[in-house]
Amino acid sequence: MNPAVVEVGPQTVRGPGSAPRDWISVAIECVDDQLALLDDRLVEVRRLWSDLLEVVAGERAETLVLVFPTWWSSGRVELITDAADGIAAEVVVRQRAAALGADGATAVVELSEEFVVIATPGADAKVLPRGERDSDAFLGAGLRAAGFLAGTIEVLIDVPAEVSPPTPALSARLRADGLPVAYGDRHRMVRSVRGGLPDHSGARDQAGRESAGRRALSRGRVAAVCAGAVVSLASVGGGWAAQKLSVQPPAGSSTALLVEGRVVVRVPAQWAVERITSGPGSARLRVSAPTGDSTAIHLTQSAGATSTTIADVAETLRHAVESEPSGVFADLDPTGSVGGRPAVTYRELREGSETRWAVVIDGAIRVAIGCQSPPGRLDAIRDACVRAVQSAHVVR
């Protein structure tokens, strides 16, 4: 039996079967949450994805292949893959760009409403913002910057379902540069995925286990209200629902991109990423070194209604620090800098660790980056911290 191929995101879900539109829209909208409202009732997001995938996968297949946007977070992929438990004996995970470019002779330009992924054979994928204006020139420049050689490779423009396509001028521009251009479709994706499976039968990425009690969801009207990500923030800086960008770095790469919404930060590629929503401090993302100690980078963000200044941030932080117990925060510097970038800096002292925070701004967004290390061992994280602070920016 052929494997069932289900394309998940960024705007919809499609496969051999079809599901109610309200299931799909709520599942996509609330993928980063625990609970959602569907037809005026709370549902678990994982269970919603489980029921959705069971319908979209169609008739039961031995192997279910889930194809995700290349830039989607590892947390999203893990959630949805886990939700597929029991739908097939084997669940295989693929990224769009990797699947479509598996022949080694195709460069993939994968579009979403917010990002463009440029994946060239043998090189690291580039993730760039998709500008609203002059997108053709933007993409053309990105492809040329990626090192394409005219006539040696096909450019495949991958426009997932319900994503806005580029204008025809893009193809004309690329062809004028000597680059053969094609557009992907559902048929090509399925063919590429099935052709890349060992023996065309699949290899187990996550064992399927029997699950019981799957309940059907009604087709009633949709209320896309996500209920699981509301966090009470305890200190300045806010919290973010973090997403690890799923682009795999090349063998020699030491960094990877972390993206949440419109904020991008560069961190060590091999460090573990997790959300922290309990304990002291704000809800945050922790990127931990594989050293087994407290070495880590912490990331939070908050957005204001209008652009802010370093002076405004410093004043807010000063009030927040004064409200905390004595001895926890020290050395607040409203005119500090990290790697040449202006920042409000301060230290957070906890038992067994010291965290040096830098708060930077980009328009109305404040990004706080904390560099945690055992006492007296700041050098172990200094380079990674400077790189994170320098790279933090809003994608426009």
Side-chain angles (χ1 to χ4, degrees), residues 115-357:
F115 298 105
V116 178
V117 177
I118 302 175
T120 60
D124 189 14
K126 297 181 182 297
V127 182
L128 304 170
R130 184 178 181 182
E132 293 182 0
R133 291 178 294 183
D134 201 18
S135 60
D136 296 339
F138 168 78
L139 287 174
L143 287 168
R144 287 189 290 275
F148 282 66
L149 298 176
T152 64
I153 197 166
E154 179 186 58
V155 179
L156 178 66
I157 300 177
D158 175 32
V159 187
E162 300 186 19
V163 169
S164 301
T167 67
L170 173 61
S171 296
R173 185 187 298 270
L174 297 177
R175 291 189 176 106
D177 289 342
L179 296 171
V181 177
Y183 281 81
D185 56 20
R186 168 75 181 171
H187 176 73
R188 181 157 182 165
M189 176 62 77
V190 171
R191 187 181 66 219
S192 297
V193 167
R194 289 177 174 171
L197 293 176
D199 299 325
H200 290 223
S201 62
R204 181 166 301 178
D205 281 5
Q206 177 173 323
R209 301 183 298 274
E210 290 301 320
S211 61
R214 298 189 181 278
R215 57 181 174 80
L217 297 170
S218 71
R219 293 174 177 255
R221 64 183 179 85
V222 58
V225 179
C226 311
V230 179
V231 179
S232 177
L233 305 180
S235 66
V236 72
W240 61 356
Q243 304 170 15
K244 182 181 180 185
L245 195 65
S246 304
V247 176
Q248 295 298 316
S253 175
S254 60
T255 65
L257 290 175
L258 231 55
V259 61
E260 187 279 323
R262 294 166 54 205
V263 175
V264 177
V265 179
R266 188 168 291 278
V267 298
Q270 303 305 318
W271 290 20
V273 181
E274 61 180 325
R275 291 187 182 92
I276 305 298
T277 58
S278 61
S282 303
R284 63 199 181 277
L285 182 71
R286 180 168 64 195
V287 188
S288 302
T291 53
D293 56 21
S294 61
T295 302
I297 295 175
H298 299 265
L299 306 169
T300 72
Q301 76 160 356
S302 63
T306 60
S307 295
T308 188
T309 66
I310 285 290
D312 293 334
V313 172
E315 184 64 15
T316 302
L317 281 169
R318 184 179 66 80
H319 288 297
V321 166
E322 290 175 351
S323 68
E324 293 291 331
S326 177
V328 175
F329 296 100
D331 301 335
L332 177 66
D333 184 355
T335 60
S337 68
V338 176
R341 183 173 186 177
V344 181
T345 60
Y346 62 97
R347 291 190 300 144
E348 179 181 357
L349 306 174
R350 302 285 180 180
E351 183 177 356
S353 70
E354 174 181 336
T355 304
R356 293 181 178 266
W357 286 94

